[in-house]
Amino acid sequence: MKRRTFIRQSAVAAAGIAMLPAGNLFASASKKVKLGYIGVGIRGMSHISEGLLRDDVEIVAICDTQERSLKICREFIAKNGHPKVKEYTGGLDAYKRLLDHEDIDAVIIATPWQFHYQQSVDAMKAGKYVGCEVIAGLTVEEHWDIVKTSELTRMPYMTLENVCYRRDVMAALNMVRQGLFGELVHLEGGYQHNLRPVLFNNGRQFHGGGVEFGPNAIGEAQWRTQFNIDVDGDIYPTHGAGPCMHYANINAGNRFTGLVSFSSKSRGLAAYVQELSPGHKNSKINYKNGDVTTTMINCANGETVLLSHDTHLPRPYSLGFRVQGTKGIWMDVADSIYIDHQAKEDDAWDPAKVWFDKYDHPLWKKYEKLAEGAGHGGMDWFVFNAFIESVKHKRQTPIDVYDSVTMSVIAPLSVQSLKSGNSLQDFPDFTNGKWTERKNNFALDDSGF
């Protein structure tokens, strides 16, 4: 059995993770990146498995408040023949002792959302590169503080938004840059995914099997469900926003200027609980977050962007991407492309595969084999690799702090818009005017960044 396959399957068995990164290694590098992990639950374990598969990474320390997660991680590392790593636990501030570890170049943060901001700020102040899972912070002010801290400390911050590296998303980006869609006019994306089995479980398995959340559950149901009780808004905007930003050159000659959100009634989560366990107390909760939230964003150069958050209702997975310009359109739900005067038939869709095979991004062409079997169709390998290569070469991350907070701040802005009667919210310019001169450097070639 190949080493990659063994580690991937072992991690699945250990942590109950549906998909894990396959990873690979860059043996030619002379320096190993020494990583610390803050949070080794389900998502953290996927990053652990990725790190174990690379010869240019040394996992130095891990931190978690739950012994169950630490035990799974500890046993997984040992099973794969790697030395025991330093562990930090004992309370919510245990990560600060990990940051005191001078022999750490970078940290991967995969904790619940409410902890990301403070842990990221503290990590940058400790001189560490930060690779943080979404979202960056819970308020607009926290996003500003992340930017100011990164600028002050000169430590890069990267939101680990893997969808930016999805194969079809990158092929569409290649087509945008080659002018196939003409001048862009409208973009769409979102998070459209039945998350009910993620938000509720039986306390024994990570995915479904019951209708518990909070202390009676495990995994993301311990904390993520509460956001849907307390908050109405697009609480997970980055899957759609990240790729749309790259298409429209946001923060690099263009920027978001204003945002308005609308939210439907909330029925899906209560109905799900009622169906599985009639009369259960969790079916009587007033889940504040609407089942479908739509957010429209204006751009300085005149484009519009429509984002959708739809995770409470029965539906197949789709991120709802749409790239539309003066010469053509791609829609991922239809899995179709139409390019004016170049389509096989006039006024009829071509299969997207025909175009994406031709305009496959150079990054995917070069590293397809290394990403084979990786989580989320291979894109997990690319986002992890981009972060590690940036740390290793002491360069800026391809998704920098400005892009990271821009795609993330949509969450609190959406909440504000809904609270104030669907009012238009001014979009912060985190670059402080530098967007007019900045260039879009994301995935320009096959270098790995």
Side-chain angles (χ1 to χ4, degrees), residues 302-426:
E303 304 90 344
T304 51
V305 178
L306 180 65
L307 302 178
S308 176
H309 183 266
D310 172 2
T311 64
H312 301 167
L313 300 169
R315 61 159 301 137
Y317 172 85
S318 168
L319 297 187
F321 284 113
R322 173 173 169 176
V323 175
Q324 190 167 15
T326 57
K327 292 184 179 179
I329 180 173
W330 164 52
M331 296 185 69
D332 82 330
V333 174
D335 200 22
S336 299
I337 288 177
Y338 178 78
I339 303 297
D340 199 20
H341 305 308
Q342 297 189 53
K344 187 176 181 180
E345 298 181 34
D346 185 45
D347 204 27
W349 294 102
D350 287 337
K353 186 177 187 301
V354 173
W355 290 91
F356 287 164
D357 284 350
K358 182 177 180 180
Y359 291 98
D360 195 17
H361 194 281
L363 198 57
W364 267 94
K365 287 182 180 180
K366 183 174 181 178
Y367 294 116
E368 176 181 6
K369 293 299 182 183
L370 300 187
E372 200 170 82
H376 298 94
M379 57 192 182
D380 281 359
W381 181 88
F382 284 96
V383 71
F384 188 88
N385 176 71
F387 180 69
I388 295 302
E389 289 293 297
S390 299
V391 179
K392 189 164 60 177
H393 295 289
K394 290 183 169 53
R395 59 176 287 174
Q396 182 57 256
T397 53
I399 301 174
D400 66 13
V401 67
Y402 304 112
D403 294 339
S404 295
V405 296
T406 297
M407 69 177 80
S408 174
V409 79
I410 294 167
L413 289 176
S414 172
V415 172
Q416 290 178 14
S417 177
L418 290 167
K419 281 184 176 179
S420 57
N422 314 108
S423 66
L424 180 67
Q425 302 293 306
D426 289 334

Side-chain angles (χ1 to χ4, degrees), residues 244-299:
C244 287
M245 287 174 56
H246 292 140
Y247 297 143
N249 294 319
I250 298 301
N251 294 332
N254 198 4
R255 79 174 191 93
F256 292 149
T257 58
L259 169 158
V260 63
S261 292
F262 293 84
S263 186
S264 77
K265 59 187 175 183
S266 178
R267 297 291 186 270
L269 297 183
Y272 175 78
V273 174
Q274 177 66 14
E275 179 182 358
L276 293 185
S277 184
H280 193 282
K281 60 182 176 62
N282 291 342
S283 70
K284 299 175 172 56
I285 293 174
N286 177 24
Y287 296 92
K288 186 178 292 186
N289 199 21
D291 291 336
V292 179
T293 301
T294 52
T295 299
M296 181 66 80
I297 305 174
N298 288 322
C299 299

Side-chain angles (χ1 to χ4, degrees), residues 98-167:
L98 179 147
L99 296 177
D100 287 337
H101 201 305
E102 294 183 0
D103 202 22
I104 289 178
D105 301 309
V107 294
I108 299 287
I109 298 175
T111 53
W113 300 336
Q114 60 266 37
F115 303 123
H116 288 181
Y117 155 70
Q118 194 61 59
Q119 291 169 346
S120 297
V121 166
D122 289 343
M124 287 186 284
K125 289 180 178 178
K128 320 298 185 188
Y129 269 70
V130 173
C132 186
E133 280 296 329
V134 297
I135 56 177
L138 301 183
T139 67
V140 175
E141 291 73 20
E142 288 181 351
H143 287 80
W144 270 114
D145 200 23
I146 288 172
V147 171
K148 292 173 183 176
T149 303
S150 179
E151 291 176 338
L152 179 66
T153 63
R154 296 183 175 272
M155 296 310 304
Y157 173 101
M158 177 175 173
T159 286
L160 301 174
E161 181 43 75
N162 54 6
V163 177
C164 291
Y165 291 91
R166 204 171 86 172
R167 192 165 198 165

Side-chain angles (χ1 to χ4, degrees), residues 34-51:
K34 298 186 177 181
L35 278 184
Y37 287 75
I38 303 174
V40 289
I42 297 177
R43 189 59 181 155
M45 274 295 291
S46 71
H47 291 303
I48 287 285
S49 67
E50 186 66 70

